[in-house]
Amino acid sequence: MYPNPLKQKIKSGELIFGTVLPAPSPRVATAVCGADIDFLWIDTEHAPFGMESIETIPALVRQTGVAPLIRVAWNDPSLIKKAYDVGAVAVMVPQVNTAEEAAKAVEYAFYPPLGQRGVSPNWPHLAGENWMDVIKTANQETVLFVQIESEEAYNNLDEIAAVPGIDVLFVGPMDLSASLGVITETRHEKVLKVMEDVPKRMPADGPKIATTLVNIDEMQEKFRWGYTVMNVGSPLGYGVQALNGHIGTLKENPMGK
């Protein structure tokens, strides 16, 4: 599916939902895309795999109508370029702390004249799309997430948000908790204060605000605060939780009496 509608949905302020790919498996990816999600988050920052392992997965995901979102390991042109070339509609760049770093991410993500990304995507051949047409229109589809996950980034929020080319500011609760001195305490008042303030600071035409959570009540809270993009946990985490519940029920009452 080209172009993927993710960018337009984000711009229009629609609520956007995604989830994590638990393993670099085409079978798992297409199964997860059977859920009513807008994006599939493929993490190459903390997960033990890279572009070689995901290979054809972004092209397959595109064909289901879902947008592949690849989080790269760092704000590095070689990593960002590879992520888009393998088929990402969106790339997430972690640990962006200043406007200068945000501008670099934009430079690495877009083709000229918006940026300086090298030209030679390989995913169109896999997906059966016209290679030349994709190149000529890629900047219109390309989505860029930058992560706000430190006190420094929060202090520079207005300047980062003003950088042209950023579609989404993704607030990372766990790293933010570490930066604020309350590591792992993502419900600490220091963390919640920042998370509540970020969307309030955005101009109407500024980037949309995203985060990742597991608990439904917390997600609804963030939507009330002005978040519009949400990563909804992980199918693996939810699956294990459901499995534990079923096993617990069966151990207590195996015969259903």
Side-chain angles (χ1 to χ4, degrees):
M1 176 186 233
Y2 184 84
N4 184 282
L6 182 66
K7 193 176 189 84
Q8 293 308 314
K9 288 182 177 181
I10 291 171
K11 281 186 172 182
S12 67
E14 294 182 41
L15 296 186
I16 306 296
F17 300 94
T19 194
V20 170
L21 176 65
S25 159
R27 186 163 60 91
V28 172
T30 52
V32 173
C33 287
D36 189 15
I37 56 175
D38 299 291
F39 67 85
L40 182 65
W41 180 357
I42 305 169
D43 186 25
T44 66
E45 182 187 13
H46 295 297
F49 53 80
M51 298 305 161
E52 294 87 350
S53 297
I54 64 176
E55 197 180 9
T56 62
I57 290 173
L60 290 173
V61 169
R62 278 177 170 271
Q63 291 176 320
T64 70
V66 173
L69 163 64
I70 298 178
R71 179 165 68 175
V72 294
W74 197 244
N75 191 3
D76 181 290
S78 63
L79 299 177
I80 293 171
K81 175 169 58 179
K82 275 182 173 290
Y84 284 117
D85 285 351
V86 81
V89 170
V91 164
M92 187 189 304
V93 181
Q95 298 288 348
V96 173
N97 294 316
T98 67
E100 291 75 18
E101 291 173 0
K104 285 293 184 183
V106 172
E107 178 184 339
Y108 304 152
F110 289 91
Y111 292 140
L114 298 177
Q116 295 298 324
R117 179 180 148 209
V119 182
S120 192
N122 56 66
W123 73 265
H125 300 300
L126 300 173
E129 299 289 348
N130 185 288
W131 191 77
M132 292 294 291
D133 288 346
V134 166
I135 291 172
K136 290 178 180 178
T137 60
N139 281 351
Q140 299 168 30
E141 185 203 52
T142 295
V143 175
L144 179 63
F145 287 53
V146 300
Q147 287 200 257
I148 303 298
E149 45 187 349
S150 71
E151 188 173 17
E152 181 185 5
Y154 175 61
N155 290 337
N156 292 321
L157 179 64
D158 296 337
E159 293 79 7
I160 293 171
V163 174
I166 297 172
D167 298 286
V168 177
L169 297 179
F170 189 104
V171 184
M174 189 62 74
D175 281 55
L176 184 59
S177 74
S179 177
L180 293 172
V182 289
I183 191 166
T184 75
E185 296 181 45
T186 56
R187 293 293 298 173
H188 192 282
E189 62 181 357
K190 289 183 179 179
V191 178
L192 294 179
K193 181 181 178 182
V194 170
M195 294 193 73
E196 186 173 10
D197 188 48
V198 169
K200 293 178 180 177
R201 302 257 295 274
M202 290 302 105
D205 59 350
K208 304 306 181 185
I209 310 302
T211 192
T212 178
L213 293 164
V214 174
N215 181 277
I216 291 290
D217 292 339
E218 291 185 44
M219 295 181 203
Q220 291 169 330
E221 173 187 65
K222 301 308 180 292
F223 286 134
R224 292 194 298 271
W225 289 355
Y227 287 68
T228 59
V229 183
M230 181 67 63
N231 183 77
V232 182
S234 164
L236 181 59
Y238 290 136
V240 170
Q241 184 179 46
L243 178 62
N244 277 331
H246 293 334
I247 290 174
T249 298
L250 292 170
K251 283 184 175 182
E252 290 178 7
N253 187 12
M255 303 301 177
K257 295 181 181 178

